[in-house]
Amino acid sequence: MSIIQPLEAPPSPLRAIPPLTALLAFERAASQLSFRRAARDLSLSPSAISHQIRGLEEQFGVKLFVRGARSVRLTADGERYLAKVSAALAVLQDASRDMLQHRRDARAELWISSLPFFTSAVLIPALPEFKRRNPQLTLRIEATHQYADFNASRVDVAIRYGREHSTGLKFEPLVAVKGLPVCAPALIKAGLKQPEDLSRQVLIHLTTQPRAWPVWLREAGLQHLTPRGHLWLDSVPAMLEAAEQGLGVTLGMSPLIKARPGFGKKLVAPFALEATHSETIYLVSRTEQARDRRIAAIRRWIVEAVGHAK
């Protein structure tokens, strides 16, 4: 009866690689031909350098240095090993420098995920001031209604409605907005004077906020009002452009709507009745970036931009 011997796992190729501290000690000592100068370069003691090199010699079973009373010199094995170790350490140094440069380049950019209307009404008008204060930083702004995925994207800051439950994120209120009916001046000239007159108008809705008009009508005591029609669009800028074209009446975000170019001329409020219900727009960032000076700079800029837009 034969006995099957268990197969041994092949040795890991990493086992042949000595510790980096030993390789650095050898490279410095071999380049300087001095354990003392190597110790000074690496902030170690000469005995520590000697210990590291002795460990290499025991691992390989060869002598790397011929030690004299006051000097050392490389053996033939030591010279061959130095050539390859120096080349390998140079590759590691280049790789590390590349990573540091990439990090510096990445830190020169700030990624903002922002609501489209907030982007056009608040951020874009304030961009010249941001560049004046932070000439070394580059902004990348994504205008979207989608919630930013802080785990799977490079976003640094997000501007969003409401507080989605999410650990590791910091929510800072920027501004409370209320729905304000707005339309082209032509609709007012055609008879849109009171909220009840909305029954003869087309209501323009945002697809992601289907309850906005029903809530506003209920607060106005017009929950049973039936408009002439409905128009559904997927972005606030598109809604406002449709309203400017006279296609119907939409709800603007007061007070930010007043910062839109042309408000009061191409786009007006037919009556001053605002919703009593408000939504808060938040600045969202990672909690671990609370002390990041880049985030602090963008926070100050956005807060001031909101103040100018109100």
Side-chain angles (χ1 to χ4, degrees), residues 65-86:
F65 288 89
V66 176
R67 294 163 174 83
R70 295 188 178 183
S71 64
V72 295
R73 60 183 176 85
L74 287 168
T75 64
D77 288 324
E79 289 180 353
R80 285 196 300 273
Y81 195 51
L82 173 62
K84 294 185 178 181
V85 167
S86 296

PDB file of all heavy atoms in Angstrom, residues 65-86:
ATOM      1  N   PHE A  65      30.511  42.263   1.481  1.00  0.00           N
ATOM      2  CA  PHE A  65      31.570  43.234   1.757  1.00  0.00           C
ATOM      3  C   PHE A  65      32.808  42.512   2.293  1.00  0.00           C
ATOM      4  O   PHE A  65      32.704  41.489   2.994  1.00  0.00           O
ATOM      5  CB  PHE A  65      31.122  44.258   2.801  1.00  0.00           C
ATOM      6  CG  PHE A  65      30.102  45.250   2.316  1.00  0.00           C
ATOM      7  CD1 PHE A  65      28.741  44.984   2.417  1.00  0.00           C
ATOM      8  CD2 PHE A  65      30.501  46.469   1.747  1.00  0.00           C
ATOM      9  CE1 PHE A  65      27.802  45.893   1.984  1.00  0.00           C
ATOM     10  CE2 PHE A  65      29.567  47.386   1.315  1.00  0.00           C
ATOM     11  CZ  PHE A  65      28.206  47.100   1.423  1.00  0.00           C
ATOM     12  N   VAL A  66      33.966  43.068   1.963  1.00  0.00           N
ATOM     13  CA  VAL A  66      35.202  42.707   2.645  1.00  0.00           C
ATOM     14  C   VAL A  66      35.458  43.816   3.655  1.00  0.00           C
ATOM     15  O   VAL A  66      35.622  44.977   3.293  1.00  0.00           O
ATOM     16  CB  VAL A  66      36.377  42.595   1.651  1.00  0.00           C
ATOM     17  CG1 VAL A  66      37.680  42.312   2.418  1.00  0.00           C
ATOM     18  CG2 VAL A  66      36.118  41.499   0.642  1.00  0.00           C
ATOM     19  N   ARG A  67      35.446  43.455   4.927  1.00  0.00           N
ATOM     20  CA  ARG A  67      35.548  44.444   5.993  1.00  0.00           C
ATOM     21  C   ARG A  67      37.003  44.596   6.419  1.00  0.00           C
ATOM     22  O   ARG A  67      37.671  43.610   6.768  1.00  0.00           O
ATOM     23  CB  ARG A  67      34.680  44.041   7.179  1.00  0.00           C
ATOM     24  CG  ARG A  67      33.168  44.052   6.867  1.00  0.00           C
ATOM     25  CD  ARG A  67      32.382  43.251   7.907  1.00  0.00           C
ATOM     26  NE  ARG A  67      30.949  43.346   7.728  1.00  0.00           N
ATOM     27  CZ  ARG A  67      30.260  42.598   6.860  1.00  0.00           C
ATOM     28  NH1 ARG A  67      30.897  41.730   6.080  1.00  0.00           N
ATOM     29  NH2 ARG A  67      28.953  42.722   6.771  1.00  0.00           N
ATOM     30  N   GLY A  68      37.501  45.831   6.396  1.00  0.00           N
ATOM     31  CA  GLY A  68      38.843  46.121   6.887  1.00  0.00           C
ATOM     32  C   GLY A  68      38.769  46.827   8.218  1.00  0.00           C
ATOM     33  O   GLY A  68      37.686  47.042   8.783  1.00  0.00           O
ATOM     34  N   ALA A  69      39.917  47.212   8.729  1.00  0.00           N
ATOM     35  CA  ALA A  69      39.954  47.873  10.033  1.00  0.00           C
ATOM     36  C   ALA A  69      39.258  49.223   9.985  1.00  0.00           C
ATOM     37  O   ALA A  69      38.530  49.590  10.916  1.00  0.00           O
ATOM     38  CB  ALA A  69      41.412  48.028  10.485  1.00  0.00           C
ATOM     39  N   ARG A  70      39.466  49.981   8.878  1.00  0.00           N
ATOM     40  CA  ARG A  70      38.867  51.308   8.791  1.00  0.00           C
ATOM     41  C   ARG A  70      38.050  51.512   7.515  1.00  0.00           C
ATOM     42  O   ARG A  70      37.602  52.627   7.252  1.00  0.00           O
ATOM     43  CB  ARG A  70      39.960  52.368   8.856  1.00  0.00           C
ATOM     44  CG  ARG A  70      40.684  52.394  10.182  1.00  0.00           C
ATOM     45  CD  ARG A  70      41.621  53.584  10.260  1.00  0.00           C
ATOM     46  NE  ARG A  70      42.296  53.662  11.547  1.00  0.00           N
ATOM     47  CZ  ARG A  70      43.123  54.639  11.886  1.00  0.00           C
ATOM     48  NH1 ARG A  70      43.400  55.598  11.017  1.00  0.00           N
ATOM     49  NH2 ARG A  70      43.706  54.635  13.085  1.00  0.00           N
ATOM     50  N   SER A  71      37.880  50.476   6.725  1.00  0.00           N
ATOM     51  CA  SER A  71      37.146  50.644   5.471  1.00  0.00           C
ATOM     52  C   SER A  71      36.491  49.332   5.069  1.00  0.00           C
ATOM     53  O   SER A  71      36.799  48.271   5.641  1.00  0.00           O
ATOM     54  CB  SER A  71      38.104  51.111   4.357  1.00  0.00           C
ATOM     55  OG  SER A  71      39.074  50.100   4.097  1.00  0.00           O
ATOM     56  N   VAL A  72      35.588  49.424   4.125  1.00  0.00           N
ATOM     57  CA  VAL A  72      34.939  48.238   3.557  1.00  0.00           C
ATOM     58  C   VAL A  72      34.991  48.362   2.039  1.00  0.00           C
ATOM     59  O   VAL A  72      35.063  49.461   1.483  1.00  0.00           O
ATOM     60  CB  VAL A  72      33.470  48.103   4.027  1.00  0.00           C
ATOM     61  CG1 VAL A  72      33.397  47.866   5.520  1.00  0.00           C
ATOM     62  CG2 VAL A  72      32.665  49.319   3.622  1.00  0.00           C
ATOM     63  N   ARG A  73      34.964  47.212   1.378  1.00  0.00           N
ATOM     64  CA  ARG A  73      34.856  47.219  -0.081  1.00  0.00           C
ATOM     65  C   ARG A  73      33.963  46.067  -0.499  1.00  0.00           C
ATOM     66  O   ARG A  73      33.777  45.095   0.245  1.00  0.00           O
ATOM     67  CB  ARG A  73      36.225  47.107  -0.734  1.00  0.00           C
ATOM     68  CG  ARG A  73      37.004  45.864  -0.397  1.00  0.00           C
ATOM     69  CD  ARG A  73      38.383  45.884  -1.050  1.00  0.00           C
ATOM     70  NE  ARG A  73      39.185  44.733  -0.649  1.00  0.00           N
ATOM     71  CZ  ARG A  73      39.135  43.527  -1.230  1.00  0.00           C
ATOM     72  NH1 ARG A  73      38.306  43.347  -2.271  1.00  0.00           N
ATOM     73  NH2 ARG A  73      39.894  42.542  -0.792  1.00  0.00           N
ATOM     74  N   LEU A  74      33.385  46.204  -1.681  1.00  0.00           N
ATOM     75  CA  LEU A  74      32.448  45.196  -2.168  1.00  0.00           C
ATOM     76  C   LEU A  74      33.174  43.974  -2.702  1.00  0.00           C
ATOM     77  O   LEU A  74      34.248  44.085  -3.327  1.00  0.00           O
ATOM     78  CB  LEU A  74      31.578  45.781  -3.280  1.00  0.00           C
ATOM     79  CG  LEU A  74      30.495  46.775  -2.865  1.00  0.00           C
ATOM     80  CD1 LEU A  74      29.925  47.492  -4.084  1.00  0.00           C
ATOM     81  CD2 LEU A  74      29.371  46.063  -2.107  1.00  0.00           C
ATOM     82  N   THR A  75      32.571  42.832  -2.454  1.00  0.00           N
ATOM     83  CA  THR A  75      33.029  41.620  -3.116  1.00  0.00           C
ATOM     84  C   THR A  75      32.452  41.595  -4.534  1.00  0.00           C
ATOM     85  O   THR A  75      31.638  42.454  -4.908  1.00  0.00           O
ATOM     86  CB  THR A  75      32.536  40.378  -2.354  1.00  0.00           C
ATOM     87  OG1 THR A  75      31.105  40.340  -2.408  1.00  0.00           O
ATOM     88  CG2 THR A  75      32.997  40.411  -0.904  1.00  0.00           C
ATOM     89  N   ALA A  76      32.835  40.621  -5.319  1.00  0.00           N
ATOM     90  CA  ALA A  76      32.268  40.484  -6.671  1.00  0.00           C
ATOM     91  C   ALA A  76      30.758  40.256  -6.585  1.00  0.00           C
ATOM     92  O   ALA A  76      29.978  40.814  -7.376  1.00  0.00           O
ATOM     93  CB  ALA A  76      32.961  39.340  -7.415  1.00  0.00           C
ATOM     94  N   ASP A  77      30.314  39.428  -5.637  1.00  0.00           N
ATOM     95  CA  ASP A  77      28.867  39.226  -5.442  1.00  0.00           C
ATOM     96  C   ASP A  77      28.196  40.528  -5.024  1.00  0.00           C
ATOM     97  O   ASP A  77      27.085  40.834  -5.462  1.00  0.00           O
ATOM     98  CB  ASP A  77      28.625  38.157  -4.367  1.00  0.00           C
ATOM     99  CG  ASP A  77      28.963  36.760  -4.860  1.00  0.00           C
ATOM    100  OD1 ASP A  77      28.711  36.484  -6.047  1.00  0.00           O
ATOM    101  OD2 ASP A  77      29.474  35.959  -4.053  1.00  0.00           O
ATOM    102  N   GLY A  78      28.858  41.286  -4.179  1.00  0.00           N
ATOM    103  CA  GLY A  78      28.300  42.554  -3.730  1.00  0.00           C
ATOM    104  C   GLY A  78      28.145  43.542  -4.877  1.00  0.00           C
ATOM    105  O   GLY A  78      27.146  44.272  -4.958  1.00  0.00           O
ATOM    106  N   GLU A  79      29.135  43.568  -5.791  1.00  0.00           N
ATOM    107  CA  GLU A  79      29.045  44.480  -6.930  1.00  0.00           C
ATOM    108  C   GLU A  79      27.891  44.104  -7.853  1.00  0.00           C
ATOM    109  O   GLU A  79      27.161  44.969  -8.349  1.00  0.00           O
ATOM    110  CB  GLU A  79      30.376  44.475  -7.689  1.00  0.00           C
ATOM    111  CG  GLU A  79      31.507  45.154  -6.923  1.00  0.00           C
ATOM    112  CD  GLU A  79      32.819  45.124  -7.697  1.00  0.00           C
ATOM    113  OE1 GLU A  79      32.873  44.459  -8.759  1.00  0.00           O
ATOM    114  OE2 GLU A  79      33.789  45.762  -7.237  1.00  0.00           O
ATOM    115  N   ARG A  80      27.738  42.784  -8.103  1.00  0.00           N
ATOM    116  CA  ARG A  80      26.613  42.355  -8.955  1.00  0.00           C
ATOM    117  C   ARG A  80      25.278  42.691  -8.292  1.00  0.00           C
ATOM    118  O   ARG A  80      24.345  43.150  -8.943  1.00  0.00           O
ATOM    119  CB  ARG A  80      26.703  40.854  -9.208  1.00  0.00           C
ATOM    120  CG  ARG A  80      27.785  40.447 -10.194  1.00  0.00           C
ATOM    121  CD  ARG A  80      27.560  39.020 -10.677  1.00  0.00           C
ATOM    122  NE  ARG A  80      27.572  38.061  -9.571  1.00  0.00           N
ATOM    123  CZ  ARG A  80      28.679  37.481  -9.103  1.00  0.00           C
ATOM    124  NH1 ARG A  80      29.864  37.772  -9.645  1.00  0.00           N
ATOM    125  NH2 ARG A  80      28.609  36.621  -8.112  1.00  0.00           N
ATOM    126  N   TYR A  81      25.202  42.477  -6.998  1.00  0.00           N
ATOM    127  CA  TYR A  81      23.936  42.740  -6.301  1.00  0.00           C
ATOM    128  C   TYR A  81      23.637  44.242  -6.256  1.00  0.00           C
ATOM    129  O   TYR A  81      22.495  44.673  -6.406  1.00  0.00           O
ATOM    130  CB  TYR A  81      23.997  42.150  -4.892  1.00  0.00           C
ATOM    131  CG  TYR A  81      22.645  42.045  -4.219  1.00  0.00           C
ATOM    132  CD1 TYR A  81      21.573  41.431  -4.860  1.00  0.00           C
ATOM    133  CD2 TYR A  81      22.446  42.523  -2.926  1.00  0.00           C
ATOM    134  CE1 TYR A  81      20.341  41.311  -4.240  1.00  0.00           C
ATOM    135  CE2 TYR A  81      21.224  42.415  -2.295  1.00  0.00           C
ATOM    136  CZ  TYR A  81      20.166  41.813  -2.963  1.00  0.00           C
ATOM    137  OH  TYR A  81      18.934  41.706  -2.364  1.00  0.00           O
ATOM    138  N   LEU A  82      24.673  45.057  -6.058  1.00  0.00           N
ATOM    139  CA  LEU A  82      24.466  46.504  -6.011  1.00  0.00           C
ATOM    140  C   LEU A  82      23.872  47.017  -7.317  1.00  0.00           C
ATOM    141  O   LEU A  82      22.964  47.858  -7.302  1.00  0.00           O
ATOM    142  CB  LEU A  82      25.783  47.222  -5.730  1.00  0.00           C
ATOM    143  CG  LEU A  82      25.726  48.763  -5.817  1.00  0.00           C
ATOM    144  CD1 LEU A  82      24.763  49.324  -4.775  1.00  0.00           C
ATOM    145  CD2 LEU A  82      27.119  49.359  -5.664  1.00  0.00           C
ATOM    146  N   ALA A  83      24.358  46.540  -8.457  1.00  0.00           N
ATOM    147  CA  ALA A  83      23.852  47.016  -9.753  1.00  0.00           C
ATOM    148  C   ALA A  83      22.355  46.765  -9.882  1.00  0.00           C
ATOM    149  O   ALA A  83      21.598  47.636 -10.328  1.00  0.00           O
ATOM    150  CB  ALA A  83      24.612  46.334 -10.886  1.00  0.00           C
ATOM    151  N   LYS A  84      21.922  45.572  -9.462  1.00  0.00           N
ATOM    152  CA  LYS A  84      20.508  45.243  -9.603  1.00  0.00           C
ATOM    153  C   LYS A  84      19.650  45.921  -8.528  1.00  0.00           C
ATOM    154  O   LYS A  84      18.537  46.365  -8.799  1.00  0.00           O
ATOM    155  CB  LYS A  84      20.321  43.726  -9.565  1.00  0.00           C
ATOM    156  CG  LYS A  84      20.952  43.041 -10.771  1.00  0.00           C
ATOM    157  CD  LYS A  84      20.661  41.559 -10.800  1.00  0.00           C
ATOM    158  CE  LYS A  84      21.261  40.913 -12.056  1.00  0.00           C
ATOM    159  NZ  LYS A  84      20.981  39.474 -12.150  1.00  0.00           N
ATOM    160  N   VAL A  85      20.158  46.015  -7.312  1.00  0.00           N
ATOM    161  CA  VAL A  85      19.399  46.678  -6.242  1.00  0.00           C
ATOM    162  C   VAL A  85      19.233  48.162  -6.549  1.00  0.00           C
ATOM    163  O   VAL A  85      18.152  48.742  -6.357  1.00  0.00           O
ATOM    164  CB  VAL A  85      20.088  46.470  -4.878  1.00  0.00           C
ATOM    165  CG1 VAL A  85      19.499  47.404  -3.820  1.00  0.00           C
ATOM    166  CG2 VAL A  85      19.921  45.020  -4.432  1.00  0.00           C
ATOM    167  N   SER A  86      20.298  48.802  -7.036  1.00  0.00           N
ATOM    168  CA  SER A  86      20.208  50.229  -7.368  1.00  0.00           C
ATOM    169  C   SER A  86      19.159  50.462  -8.445  1.00  0.00           C
ATOM    170  O   SER A  86      18.374  51.409  -8.363  1.00  0.00           O
ATOM    171  CB  SER A  86      21.572  50.746  -7.838  1.00  0.00           C
ATOM    172  OG  SER A  86      22.524  50.660  -6.806  1.00  0.00           O
TER     173      SER A  86
END
